[in-house]
Amino acid sequence: MIGVFDSGIGGLRLLDQLRQRWGQEDFIYLADQAHVPYGSLDRDTLLELLQQNLNWLEDQGAKTIVVACNTASATGIVRRYIGQAQVIEIISKTCELIPESARKILVLATPFTVQSHRYKQVLAQQRPQAEVKEVGLSCLAFMIEHLCPKQEILAYLQGELRAYRGQYDAAVLACTHFPFAREQFAEVLQIPLIDSESIALEAPKKAGQGTLRIVTTGSGEQLSRQLHQLMRWDTVCEHVQIEK
């Protein structure tokens, strides 16, 4: 079984891609919506939440867990996780998707991810000649999580990013929520956009039954509505209480 973890709905598009690739594998998706947005939390709080959430996924049978949340990945949870499951973070794998021709790279992320400078660190190793600019978008994940109208999101991005229009070779949407606003990013920036949805992962060693379970620490009814509006999935989502 493969577990996919995100603070909210952001990892759903990655989950969709993984299921299209490995339709016979069993998946469980956990959204920690009781604590979203992660980008405003401090490191110690994040690490505590991550440990208990990943432990829970492992207890459900997940042998591999993809941490689809960039903010969570920026904490270094892969190195710190205490458990048996293989934990995969997406920052380094997302950086691998940036074209070699890109010399000026714009990284758009949550404030926590920007403050960690994890993308700069990875890109300094992968392509030391590149110029990297990190920009924090403090409100966007919250707006997407709460299904704000597209015009409101466009107006927000215009205010935050107008100065970067056409000034970079590529922009990394360094939060899994952000691709839900890809159309608005494209209109404002007019440069190629990179995200984590097509990252390369190793194929599962053993096929499952093709089952899917979607759970949240928040409202199951709310996540079901979000799934229908954003993904057109009519899936009943469960609420779970994850204890420390």
Side-chain angles (χ1 to χ4, degrees):
M1 178 186 290
I2 296 177
V4 179
F5 173 78
D6 198 278
S7 61
I9 59 176
L12 289 171
R13 292 167 68 110
L14 176 58
L15 171 67
D16 187 38
Q17 292 296 316
L18 294 175
R19 292 188 71 220
Q20 289 184 39
R21 206 173 307 164
W22 301 316
Q24 295 305 309
E25 181 58 40
D26 298 322
F27 285 90
I28 181 169
Y29 182 92
L30 171 60
D32 189 14
Q33 291 179 302
H35 302 100
V36 71
Y38 268 21
S40 61
L41 301 179
D42 64 81
R43 186 184 188 86
D44 289 343
T45 299
L46 280 171
L47 286 170
E48 184 177 1
L49 287 171
L50 289 168
Q51 182 66 52
Q52 67 186 45
N53 284 318
L54 300 190
N55 280 346
W56 186 87
L57 282 168
E58 187 170 342
D59 288 343
Q60 304 309 300
K63 304 300 183 185
T64 298
I65 303 173
V66 182
V67 179
C69 175
N70 283 266
T71 300
S73 294
T75 64
I77 186 59
V78 172
R79 300 188 305 275
R80 292 172 168 80
Y81 178 63
I82 302 172
Q84 299 302 312
Q86 177 192 23
V87 179
I88 299 171
E89 58 86 15
I90 61 172
I91 290 179
S92 57
K93 292 186 176 296
T94 302
C95 288
E96 293 172 359
L97 300 175
I98 302 172
E100 287 292 334
S101 58
R103 291 293 177 263
K104 295 183 64 178
I105 301 168
L106 185 65
V107 176
L108 306 172
T110 66
F112 183 94
T113 302
V114 168
Q115 291 163 14
S116 76
H117 299 301
R118 183 60 183 147
Y119 271 90
K120 270 193 173 181
Q121 293 165 4
V122 172
L123 288 169
Q125 296 175 341
Q126 292 184 358
R127 50 187 71 197
Q129 304 305 316
E131 175 188 332
V132 180
K133 172 69 174 179
E134 297 172 305
V135 176
L137 298 172
S138 59
C139 298
L140 186 56
F142 179 88
M143 295 175 74
I144 292 170
E145 190 75 22
H146 289 80
L147 304 176
C148 286
K150 291 182 178 181
Q151 283 304 118
E152 287 186 22
I153 291 174
L154 178 61
Y156 171 73
L157 292 179
Q158 286 174 332
E160 296 291 323
L161 302 177
R162 187 183 294 109
Y164 303 109
R165 182 186 183 99
Q167 300 300 307
Y168 287 81
D169 299 320
V172 181
L173 304 184
C175 172
T176 47
H177 283 80
F178 291 4
F180 283 110
R182 174 178 281 274
E183 179 183 334
Q184 291 76 37
F185 275 110
E187 181 173 341
V188 173
L189 291 172
Q190 297 192 358
I191 56 178
L193 304 174
I194 311 296
D195 60 55
S196 63
E197 292 173 20
S198 57
I199 61 174
L201 300 176
E202 293 182 9
K205 295 179 180 179
K206 184 179 179 181
Q209 302 299 314
T211 63
L212 173 63
R213 183 183 176 198
I214 298 180
V215 302
T216 176
T217 58
S219 166
E221 292 182 0
Q222 177 182 326
L223 182 54
S224 295
R225 289 195 298 271
Q226 291 168 318
L227 275 173
H228 178 75
Q229 182 163 336
L230 294 172
M231 307 294 293
R232 297 296 183 260
W233 294 358
D234 292 318
T235 305
V236 177
C237 304
E238 305 171 45
H239 165 79
V240 293
Q241 183 73 38
I242 298 178
E243 303 293 343
K244 294 183 180 180

